[in-house]
Structure formats: structure tokens, C-alpha cells
Amino acid sequence: MRDDEILTRISALVDEERQLREKLSAGEVTTDDEHNRVKELEAALDQCWDLLRQRRARRGAGEDPDEAAVRPAGQVENYRQ
């Protein structure tokens, strides 16, 4: 996945999270459903940001950014920026 594709994916996940919160406010989804989906979205966002950082680091080190790989959600969740 190229950097621009990762950024597009990040944007889509953020949009979905915003829409989900709007649906919760409108009573269209339950709190539990919203919470569970937001947790999944946050994990996917963590993975996307991690992949983007890996690609940028590889590029900066003169390595092939395409060798970066998505890491498991449990490994990248709650990374400090």
C-alpha cells in the first residue's frame, strides 16, 4: 500500500468514526455497538499510522518502503507519539 493509499484509508476510518458518533447522538446505534466499532476503528487507525511511519522511516534510511508491513493491532495499539 502506498503512502497516499494509507492516508486515504486513515481519512475513511476517521470519517466512519465521526459518522458513528453522530448516529449514537441521533439514537441510531446503541452505546455498546458504537463502543465496539470505535474500538475496532481505533485499532485500524493505529495500524495505518504505524505502517505509514514504517514506510517513511525506511524511505529516510534509503530502504525500500514497500518492505514495511502491517503489524498486529495488539503490537501497535497505544503507541506513544
Side-chain angles (χ1 to χ4, degrees):
M1 195 182 291
R2 296 184 329 251
D3 292 6
D4 62 331
E5 294 172 319
I6 297 168
L7 290 167
T8 298
R9 176 75 175 134
I10 288 169
S11 181
L13 291 167
V14 169
D15 286 344
E16 183 180 347
E17 184 178 4
R18 181 189 47 78
Q19 291 170 0
L20 191 58
R21 292 187 192 281
E22 288 174 2
K23 287 181 180 182
L24 178 64
S25 294
E28 297 174 17
V29 296
T30 67
T31 301
D32 287 342
D33 289 342
E34 183 266 350
H35 178 74
N36 291 334
R37 183 60 185 147
V38 165
K39 190 172 183 173
E40 292 171 357
L41 292 170
E42 288 173 347
L45 281 166
D46 287 343
Q47 288 176 301
C48 287
W49 282 116
D50 176 67
L51 180 58
L52 189 60
R53 282 190 293 272
Q54 284 184 62
R55 290 181 56 79
R56 289 175 175 171
R58 286 182 168 279
R59 191 176 294 112
E63 297 175 8
D64 183 359
D66 291 333
E67 291 184 13
V70 175
R71 295 186 241 213
Q75 185 176 352
V76 299
E77 285 182 313
N78 303 315
Y79 272 175
R80 293 230 181 248
Q81 305 281 331

